[in-house]
Structure formats: C-alpha cells, structure tokens
Amino acid sequence: MTARVRTASSAVRTPTSTFRGDQRPMTLIRTGLMLLFLLATLSSSGAGEADLRGIIAKFATAKGFSEIGAVVHELAAAGDPAVERPLAALADGNLYVRKADSLVFVGKEAGESVQLSDPLSGEASGDAAKDGITKIKVNNTLRRVIRDALGTLTLGAKDPAVRVAAADTMFKTPDAANIGPLDTAIASEIVASVKALLEQARAASVLVSDRPEADKLAAIALIGARGDRDAVSLLTSIEANSTDAVKQAATTAIANINSTLAFWDAGQNIWYGISLGSVLLLAAIGLAITFGVMGVINMAHGEMVMLGAYTTFVVQQVIRTSFPGLFDWSLVIALPLAFLVAALVGLIIERGVIRFLYGRPLETLLATWGVSLILQQAVRSIFGPTNQEVGNPSWMSGSFNLGQLAITWNRLWILVFALAAFGILLYVMKRTPWGLQMRAVTANRRMAASMGIRTPWVDALTFALGSGIAGIAGVALSQIDNVSPNLGRGYIIDSFMVVVFGGVGNLWGTLVGAFSLGIVNKFLEPYAGAVLGKIVVLVLIILFIQKRPRGLFALKGRAVEA
C-alpha cells in the first residue's frame, strides 16, 4: 500500500503534469478510501474470530449439560466452519478448561500431562498437568446435539458429497431447529439431486415441529415420494405419535412405500440370484468340459478352483512386499498365472491318472477324489490350514444403489468376468480348429482318429483347458469367499448340478442352468433357509431329470455314444 502511495505522489510531482493542483487531493482521497477499506476488512475478520472465541469461552462457565448444549447451539448458529474443530473435540471428550485462566483448549493426553492446542487454529499451546485442567463432560444426549450441529455446519460445504451426508444425517435425526438452516441451504443449493435431499431433510424436521397440519401433510407427501426404508422408519414413528389427518396420511404413505419396496425386494432377490449364478457359472464352466464333453467325473475340479485362489494370494503377497503400487493390477496379473497353474496340474492329472480310466466313470470318480485329498493336504502343508487374506482392488471395492437395489462392485465385476469367460470359451469351441477337433472327438472318437486327429492329446489339452478355467474361477471367488484348502469343496456339488441340469456337454445349458439355479436358490432362502433351500433345489433337479434325463439342452457326446 505504501508503494502505491509513493508512486501516486511521484506522479503528482511530475513537472509535465498540467493539473498538478487537482490530482493531489484526488490521489489522497483514493489512498484514504483504500486504507479505510483494508482496515474495515481486517477489523471485521478479527471481530468474527473474537466473537467465536467469546462463545467458546462460555464453556468455562457453563453449568450442566443444558448450558453446554446452549453454547453448542450458539456456536453452530455462527455458521463458521472453524467451529467444527472445538465441537468435534467436545464430542470426543477432548475439550478442556485451564484452571489458571479459565481458557478453553483442545487437549490430547500424553502420560501424566495433556498437550493443549488452540480450539480454532489448532496451534500448540503447551502442556498442562492433569490436575491443572478440567475436562468438559458430555453425555449421549449432548453428543447427539453436537452431531446435529456439525451436520448443520456441513450444509454449506463446497463438496456436494459432504452436503449429501449432512442432509442424510438430518433426515435420520430430524429436529425442528434444523428448519431454518435447511431453508437457507435449499435457497442456495444449485445441484438438483442435493437440493432434493435437503428438501426431504426439511420435511422430516417439519414433521417433528409444531408447524401447521397442512405443512405436515405436505411433508408426508414429500417423504412418501422418497420411498425407501428410512422413510418408512420415520413415518412409522410419526404415525405412532400423531392423530387424525396426519396419522392417516402417514399410514397411507407407509402402505404405498411397502408395496413399492416389495417390488424392489423381488428385484434384489433376482440380482442376488444372478450374482450367485455368475459364481456357479465360473465354477461349473470348466466342469462342463471335463465332465460334459469328456465324460470324466472329476472330483478334483474344486481343487483346481482352490489352486487359482491360492495363486491370487501368492501374487498379492509378492506385490504387497515388492511392488505395492501395482496392487490394483493384482487380479489382472493373477488371471493368466492361475490359468497356467491349474491347467498344468490338470494336464499332469490327465496324463498320470485319467487317461488310463476313460470309459470307466466310477473309477475316475474314485481316482480324482483321491487326487483332491492329496491336493488339499499339499496346500495345507505349504500355506497352513487357516484362511488366507486376499484383498479387493479399489475398483472392486464398495457398492452403489440402483433405485432401491444395493449392488456391490465385486459381484458386478464377477458377473462381467463370468460372461466374458463364457464368451471366450464358446468362441474357442465353435470357431477354432482345436475346438472343432474337440467336438469331433466328442461326437465320434474312432472316426476322428481315422481322420488323423491325435485323440490322446486332444483329451489332455481339453482336460487342461477345463482345469485352467477352474483356476481363473478361483481368482474371482477369492474376492467373495475365504481362501482356504476347503474352498473348492463348497462348489463341486453345485457345479455338477448345474452341468446335469443344463444338459451334459452343452455350454449354453450350463449358462442357463447356473443362473436358473442361482435365482431359485435366492427366492427359496427367505422361506426355507440356506440349507433347506439347497435340498429343495436338489429334489427339484432329481424330479426334472426323471422327466428329461439329458437336461435342458440335450447334446450327443461321448457319454451317450452307442
């Protein structure tokens, strides 16, 4: 400012200036006005902080929880985000009064002393002995008052997500005192979705106020349009504590919401069924090849899934210790490795055991059951019998709402992955020379061999393919289930049911069977329970197979050759 005044003065003294006598007074007036404006700005900001400190100082003289609550309301009414720090400290029991001078500080216990800091700026203010300070006590009622006050403060936050959280808090804990701040926030809100939530929060506060009946009826209509379980909870309390028109309106709104929620509940069950179906599809799609196409009852199929999950665990351990920045890519890295590990083990099993047992399904069942026990014990010896931690990458964490449907990202990505794996396998089977050879061997082994197809290696590579797909299923299942030596055991029976129900050897039947059984399971669980629901599904499949022994989509294969 001084530099500007000097510059102006030097300009006035310039010999070439014609209106020298006129410019000096104008320059001085401008400079004076600027100084006055600066002083006014500084004094107003200083007064604002002084006012806040004056309110905070009242904590030192407040007697009882009611007076402390009055100070909290006064701080919140100031509308300054700076008061969030002392209010949060008070809620946590970290606000103290120094006995020597009755000043209020935020404190943090450190042994026999307490580290003090300024309640507004947060600057360190030295230490104090515990007997030299007094903690401002709070109870649960006062904590709720503080929480509501903090919610009021966040109504003016720049981040829309913070304003949404504040509106949600006020909706769930309505208070007539919130109506004024909400009116102000609604008037200034420019984001339509946030504004709607603020209006719903205001309606909730109106219902617990002494506003006229017409206002409460309008509030019930607005909350009824929200149509979720939080709205039902609020309206139920209003219904119980109201009479006449308000009670009747609340009852009608609750009935309408419940009918809508019943529709969404059915949709939620369908989503859960699709989610379970995607898991069953991943677990069964490899079995559809080894059992459906090759006619081998592979009881070690679940252990191929387990090996894929443990491969994911090993990859994540290496990334955590050596390349932590690549954790979000851990599943992408684990997918090909899990396929190779499971496929290699499957190839060894086929060449070492299965190839001697073709045409003897009972013996393949017993042999692969023994192999499964060996693999489980090997994993226990290497990794231990306890569950291993496999983390979710950031892009598979969390959830989102679609209407009243709650959808988790990990389940959604598993569904996408299952459909992608199905599409790739279908392409390999239908559009590649190897797929053609595989189908030729399945349809007529002797004719395929006479055409020059090396049927033993087709068998080996087909078994390896089915095992490898089970391995990548393990990568997906590691995100939603415990990674343990018993991981695959929980999916082997369900996988066989899917393959048999859909049609032995038919990939499309496996797809339809997986999603059908998943949805039926989820609709039966609320009524019959998880275990009894599976028993009912098994009985239904047995009855279905009695009518259609070859499943939904019959396919001629080695298992039905003449």
Side-chain angles (χ1 to χ4, degrees):
M1 185 63 67
T2 306
R4 294 186 64 178
V5 173
R6 287 176 180 172
T7 303
S9 301
S10 61
V12 172
R13 295 190 185 97
T14 303
T16 57
S17 179
T18 307
F19 303 99
R20 178 177 172 183
D22 295 331
Q23 287 185 359
R24 185 186 298 272
M26 292 300 296
T27 303
L28 291 175
I29 290 172
R30 292 192 190 99
T31 304
L33 289 174
M34 292 176 66
L35 287 172
L36 287 173
F37 176 76
L38 179 61
L39 289 173
T41 303
L42 292 174
S43 64
S44 64
S45 63
E49 182 177 334
D51 290 342
L52 292 180
R53 292 188 181 279
I55 299 172
I56 292 173
K58 295 180 181 180
F59 282 123
T61 57
K63 303 297 184 182
F65 296 126
S66 60
E67 291 189 16
I68 295 174
V71 178
V72 170
H73 282 301
E74 191 174 353
L75 272 178
D80 194 321
V83 304
E84 183 176 351
R85 187 171 188 274
L87 289 179
L90 177 62
D92 295 336
N94 294 326
L95 203 63
Y96 295 84
V97 177
R98 191 161 59 189
K99 296 179 180 179
D101 49 16
S102 297
L103 292 180
V104 178
F105 296 93
V106 175
K108 181 181 179 181
E109 294 189 6
E112 296 300 321
S113 63
V114 178
Q115 298 174 351
L116 304 180
S117 60
D118 187 89
L120 290 178
S121 65
E123 295 178 357
S125 302
D127 297 343
K130 290 185 176 181
D131 57 359
I133 56 174
T134 302
K135 178 184 289 190
I136 302 175
K137 296 181 179 180
V138 294
N139 60 7
N140 290 334
T141 301
L142 191 54
R143 287 190 181 93
R144 285 194 292 270
V145 172
I146 296 170
R147 181 190 61 198
D148 295 342
L150 290 173
T152 303
L153 285 173
T154 53
L155 288 175
K158 294 182 179 180
D159 187 355
V162 176
R163 302 199 298 275
V164 167
D168 186 61
T169 299
M170 290 185 173
F171 182 86
K172 293 177 180 177
T173 56
D175 189 338
N178 294 337
I179 296 176
L182 283 166
D183 284 335
T184 303
I186 291 169
S188 59
E189 184 58 61
I190 58 174
V191 180
S193 58
V194 179
K195 188 173 184 177
L197 293 175
L198 292 173
E199 290 172 345
Q200 293 166 7
R202 182 188 183 280
S205 297
V206 166
L207 289 178
V208 298
S209 70
D210 56 358
R211 293 293 180 100
E213 185 179 88
D215 291 352
K216 292 187 177 182
L217 292 176
I220 289 175
L222 184 60
I223 293 173
R226 176 177 172 128
D228 61 1
R229 288 175 176 80
D230 289 334
V232 171
S233 177
L234 175 63
L235 291 174
T236 301
S237 64
I238 298 301
E239 180 188 30
N241 299 310
S242 302
T243 57
D244 301 331
V246 174
K247 181 181 180 69
Q248 182 60 39
T251 302
T252 303
I254 291 171
N256 292 335
I257 293 174
N258 283 333
S259 63
T260 303
L261 288 178
F263 170 79
W264 285 108
D265 286 342
Q268 188 74 64
N269 280 334
I270 291 174
W271 162 249
Y272 287 150
I274 291 173
S275 176
L276 175 61
S278 66
V279 172
L280 294 178
L281 177 62
L282 278 175
I285 194 172
L287 195 64
I289 297 175
T290 56
F291 174 59
V293 175
M294 300 181 66
V296 175
I297 302 177
N298 180 19
M299 295 301 294
H301 181 77
E303 279 55 54
M304 302 299 106
V305 175
M306 175 196 67
L307 291 178
Y310 272 97
T311 302
T312 308
F313 165 71
V314 172
V315 168
Q316 287 197 352
Q317 287 297 100
V318 172
I319 289 177
R320 282 192 179 102
T321 55
S322 304
F323 312 99
L326 294 177
F327 186 80
D328 275 352
W329 294 90
S330 59
L331 297 189
V332 178
I333 297 171
L335 279 175
L337 294 178
F339 179 86
L340 291 175
V341 169
L344 180 61
V345 173
L347 183 64
I348 293 172
I349 294 173
E350 198 281 336
R351 290 286 86 190
V353 179
I354 301 297
R355 70 189 181 103
F356 302 108
L357 303 175
Y358 284 124
R360 291 180 284 177
L362 181 60
E363 294 182 21
T364 61
L365 184 152
L366 295 175
T368 53
W369 174 255
V371 171
S372 72
L373 296 178
I374 293 172
L375 290 175
Q376 287 182 31
Q377 189 56 46
V379 168
R380 285 192 183 93
S381 300
I382 297 172
F383 297 101
T386 58
N387 296 340
Q388 301 297 337
E389 179 187 359
V390 176
N392 293 110
S394 60
W395 48 275
M396 288 188 73
S397 302
S399 62
F400 66 95
N401 290 328
L402 184 63
Q404 297 299 319
L405 299 182
I407 299 176
T408 56
W409 282 108
N410 58 352
R411 292 279 184 172
L412 181 61
W413 278 114
I414 288 174
L415 172 61
V416 173
F417 176 67
L419 294 176
F422 176 82
I424 293 172
L425 181 61
L426 197 64
Y427 176 83
V428 170
M429 295 284 287
K430 301 292 185 181
R431 302 292 182 181
T432 63
W434 181 39
L436 178 62
Q437 293 180 15
M438 188 188 309
R439 288 184 289 124
V441 172
T442 301
N444 193 316
R445 170 179 291 274
R446 290 189 294 272
M447 181 62 73
S450 67
M451 297 297 294
I453 297 176
R454 300 179 63 185
T455 56
W457 279 108
V458 171
D459 291 335
L461 294 178
T462 301
F463 196 89
L465 175 64
S467 300
I469 293 173
I472 63 174
V475 177
L477 293 179
S478 69
Q479 300 299 296
I480 59 173
D481 206 343
N482 295 323
V483 177
S484 70
N486 299 323
L487 171 65
R489 186 183 299 174
Y491 294 97
I492 184 66
I493 302 300
D494 288 338
S495 298
F496 273 109
M497 284 199 299
V498 167
V499 174
V500 172
F501 175 66
V504 175
N506 192 301
L507 292 181
W508 284 107
T510 303
L511 176 71
V512 174
F515 288 116
S516 299
L517 293 183
I519 293 173
V520 170
N521 258 313
K522 288 304 177 182
F523 271 98
L524 286 176
E525 280 182 8
Y527 306 101
V531 176
L532 185 57
K534 284 194 173 184
I535 294 174
V536 171
V537 170
L538 179 60
V539 171
L540 292 176
I541 290 177
I542 292 173
L543 295 175
F544 177 81
I545 295 301
Q546 295 298 315
K547 295 293 183 181
R548 292 181 63 91
R550 296 169 66 184
L552 281 174
F553 301 95
L555 180 70
K556 183 175 175 61
R558 180 180 302 160
V560 293
E561 278 184 352

